[in-house]
């Protein structure tokens, strides 16, 4: 069965149309690092993203959006839209087909309230207020324009000071808003010096290259196929089914290629539900592709914060207290609060430690997770405060961090499952040449630019969910793995195949991976840097389980050279089983299957953390980032000229993918430090720079020479693979390192991100 009316190139259309051939390319000195399985399909254009997909009798959808941030839609000219050639239907809150579950209802922490045209209230600018269906995308867009909404606008509350104070109990997804260890007031009172840093961070948008897109087609009254990029396809398929009143398993989400998610594709959002609903109502497949501007508001962002850090410094440059206070912007209709305070809770040895979050509800779209949610903005502020404190203590920034090195988790007192941060500091400092850093300003280079060196510590938690996988060994000596793993560019397809092959003790080139669909075993969400640990462990365990079955078959078979060897006496290697006591006696997997008359054996595997380890240890990836800046006051130019990051992330499964992830993290840090900011018009509440011209992200010319290193780290507790996360740790520490390099060059302590050249020049 094929769902598609388009020709399949490169990809194998067999089961779900999502299987890629094993990549034959290899690189690296050991010749053992598999290249991306999706690489060829992507560079040749054969990889189909959701918006690329076609269907017979397809209708196209476009949204009309709110031009102001607060008020009410009084009227829409649906007659004008419907009169436009090609327009088939217009949905507004007045005629939108009913849903089985109200979109305001929250039955799951990942189930945010999003607009599914449930009422005419405007809660933020850019909010979808009507949906137009037409024969072409152009007709749909024109129909949406013709709706010319009449709005009863109210003054928007978009900034911190205009927001309504709100005290959440939880921040992020499941974390407490407040915590205190020891007595911070006493710790500050006992300090020899107290430094205080206040920093504001802006709203930032994920800006994935691929826009959110949905193609919905009904293959029966209880069978819905959604092609849409998503970081948690099994979970989201279940939520969509709930809205549409469908039984479990009725919705399939296919998400083979994701052109960047970063958290914005972690959730369900209104367009998904409405596209499915429209397709059912009109009896035709419907495709919705959000415009770039429509990705600013309805699909989440990183919330702006105001943060205040107070650090008490005692004798020998030891911290006596750390107080991290965060006020984050929240929407008026959802409860997600940026958990910035968490960045300071597990990193430095402090006897008196506190974090406090509060929020201001404003008329902006709801924030969600964005790459290192909380840690990215919290770390940027914390690392600046640490440099201010180091200066007050008269210590080099690295020496100050080392004098406050946490041997156990300061927030919980637990030992770390592993922590090679000292090695990161040493390796990063060595590669950067940090030992030559003068304590005073560095002065100017030959071109008259002010030079500065700064550093920051990286830390990100090791998340694990519960994931499942299925792995088969076939009679022809090949293998296959099936898992709803999510490859959003990080390399999951390649690494999950490696993990399955490792469990099988086989060459990954002999293994096909089928992935990217919600009907496959649930590999859990790709988020929180926990996907490889979770899905990879499941794949590896499934492979091991298949091999155990082969061993049982062989050792029970009198015709096998392994007969009677017992499970513990058999070694699996490179697709073969042999006796532990005599490696010359053995046979291949296919020989075992052939004699047993079996076409295949199927192994099942689960990836999850051992409960006792979860409770007993603090688990984090770590790193140290070093940056150099050059500031030209005459040209009003500020550049990062080089960055070095050294990371400890447990076992490195694929150095090629890891390097790419860590470099991406450093670039996100640079972007945080110098570029990104959504600007809101206080009069209308609209985002003034809702496009890639006005919203700055670094271009190639902004990215200097990047060096990423990994240090050896063995972790027996984090999971069976010894794998920590690499997706988010690189953004932490790096924005702070750049801010601190600017401090070193100029003496200017930033009070807001992104750091603006005009703020720096005003200080000089
Ligand atoms: Mo992410 S912010 O873990 O998708």
């Amino acid at each position: 069965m094929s769902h598609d009316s388009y020709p399949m190139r490169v990809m194998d259309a067999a089961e779900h149309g999502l299987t890629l051939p094993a990549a034959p390319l290899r690189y690296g000195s050991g010749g053992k690092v598999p290249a991306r399985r999706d690489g060829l399909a992507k560079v040749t254009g054969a990889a189909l993203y959701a918006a690329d997909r076609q269907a017979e009798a397809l209708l196209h959808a476009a949204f009309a959006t709110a031009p102001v941030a607060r008020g009410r839609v009084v009227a829409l000219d649906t007659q004008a839209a419907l009169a436009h050639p090609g327009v088939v239907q217009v949905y507004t809150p007045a005629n939108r087909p009913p849903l089985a579950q109200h979109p305001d209802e929250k039955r799951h922490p990942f189930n945010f309230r999003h607009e599914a045209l449930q009422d005419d209230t405007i809660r933020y600018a850019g909010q979808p207020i009507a949906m137009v269906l037409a024969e072409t995308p152009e007709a749909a867009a024109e129909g949406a324009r013709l709706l010319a909404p009449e709005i009863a606008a109210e003054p928007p509350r978009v900034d911190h000071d205009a927001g309504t104070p709100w005290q959440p109990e939880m921040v992020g997804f499941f974390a407490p808003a407040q915590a205190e260890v020891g007595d911070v007031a006493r710790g500050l009172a006992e300090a020899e010096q107290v430094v205080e840093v206040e920093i504001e961070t802006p709203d930032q948008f994920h800006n994935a290259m691929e826009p959110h897109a949905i193609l919905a087609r009904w293959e029966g009254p209880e069978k819905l196929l959604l092609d849409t990029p998503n970081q948690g396809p099994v979970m989201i398929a279940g939520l969509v089914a709930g809205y549409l009143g469908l039984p479990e398993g009725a919705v399939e989400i296919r998400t083979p290629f994701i052109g960047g998610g970063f958290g914005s594709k972690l959730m369900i959002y209104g367009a998904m539900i409405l596209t499915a609903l429209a397709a059912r109502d009109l009896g035709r497949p419907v495709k919705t592709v959000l415009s770039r501007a429509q990705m600013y508001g309805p699909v989440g962002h990183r919330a702006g914060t105001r943060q205040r850090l107070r650090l008490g410094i005692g004798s020998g440059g030891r911290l006596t207290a750390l107080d991290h206070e965060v006020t984050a912007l929240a929407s008026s209709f959802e409860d997600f609060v940026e958990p910035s305070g968490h960045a300071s809770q597990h990193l430095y040895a402090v006897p008196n430690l506190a974090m406090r979050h509060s929020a201001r509800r404003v008329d902006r779209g709801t924030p969600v997770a964005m790459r290192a949610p909380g840690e990215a903005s919290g770390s940027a502020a914390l690392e600046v405060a640490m440099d201010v404190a180091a200066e007050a203590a008269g210590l080099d920034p690295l020496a100050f961090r080392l004098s406050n090195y946490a041997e156990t988790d300061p927030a919980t007192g637990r030992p770390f499952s592993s922590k090679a941060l000292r090695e990161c500091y040493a390796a990063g400092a060595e590669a950067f040449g940090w030992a030559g850093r003068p304590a005073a300003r560095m002065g100017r280079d030959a071109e008259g630019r002010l030079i500065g060196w700064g550093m920051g510590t990286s830390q990100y938690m090791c998340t694990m969910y519960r994931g499942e996988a299925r792995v088969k060994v076939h009679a022809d000596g090949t293998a296959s793995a099936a898992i709803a793993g999510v490859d959003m560019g990080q390399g999951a397809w390649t690494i999950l195949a490696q993990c399955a092959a490792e469990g099988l003790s086989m060459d990954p080139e002999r293994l096909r991976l089928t992935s990217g669909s919600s009907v496959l075993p649930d590999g859990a969400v790709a988020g929180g840097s926990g996907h490889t640990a979770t899905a990879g462990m499941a794949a590896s365990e499934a492979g091991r389980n298949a091999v155990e079955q082969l061993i049982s078959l062989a050792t029970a078979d009198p015709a096998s050279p392994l007969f009677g060897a017992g499970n513990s006496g058999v070694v699996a290697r490179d697709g073969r089983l042999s006796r532990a006591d005599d490696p010359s006696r053995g046979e291949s997997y296919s020989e075992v299957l052939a004699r047993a008359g079996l076409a295949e054996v199927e192994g099942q595997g689960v990836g999850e953390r051992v409960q006792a380890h979860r409770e007993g240890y603090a688990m984090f990836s770590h790193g140290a980032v070093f940056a150099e800046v050059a500031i030209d006051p005459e040209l009003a130019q500020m550049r990062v000229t080089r960055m070095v990051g050294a990371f400890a992330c447990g076992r490195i499964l694929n150095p090629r993918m890891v390097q790419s992830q860590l470099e991406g993290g450093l670039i996100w840090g640079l972007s945080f430090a110098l570029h990104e900011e959504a600007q809101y018009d206080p009069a209308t509440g609209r985002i003034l720079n809702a496009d890639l011209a006005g919203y700055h992200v670094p271009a190639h010319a902004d990215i200097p020479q990047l060096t990423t290193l990994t240090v050896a780290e063995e972790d027996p507790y984090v999971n069976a693979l010894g794998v920590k996360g690499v997706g988010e740790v690189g953004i932490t520490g790096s924005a702070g390192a750049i801010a601190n390099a600017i401090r070193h060059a100029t003496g200017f302590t930033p009070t807001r991100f992104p750091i603006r050249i005009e703020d720096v020049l005003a200080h000089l």
Side-chain angles (χ1 to χ4, degrees), residues 231 262-263 266 369-373 526-529 728:
Q231 295 172 237
F262 316 119
L266 201 55
M370 178 163 145
R371 203 167 185 179
S529 302
E728 287 159 287

Side-chain angles (χ1 to χ4, degrees), residues 255-345:
T255 176
F257 302 109
I258 303 183
F262 316 119
S264 78
K265 290 167 183 161
L266 201 55
M267 301 292 175
I268 190 170
Y269 45 94
M272 237 186 234
I273 303 163
L274 291 172
T275 304
L277 204 56
R280 180 161 70 183
D281 191 43
L282 299 171
R284 291 171 65 176
V286 173
K287 191 200 291 193
T288 304
V289 181
L290 296 191
S291 68
R292 179 59 57 181
Q294 288 171 350
M295 292 165 69
Y296 286 76
V299 292
H301 61 276
R302 189 198 304 285
T305 66
R306 283 179 177 169
Q307 302 181 50
R308 183 172 79 134
L309 281 133
R310 289 184 299 161
L311 275 58
I313 309 157
S315 61
R318 292 270 172 75
L319 289 170
T320 62
L322 193 166
D323 186 36
H324 195 167
E325 202 181 315
V326 180
T327 307
L329 296 176
S331 68
S332 65
F333 55 90
E334 248 303 333
D335 292 350
F336 187 87
V337 176
E338 182 77 357
S340 308
H342 288 273
S344 58
Q345 302 305 294

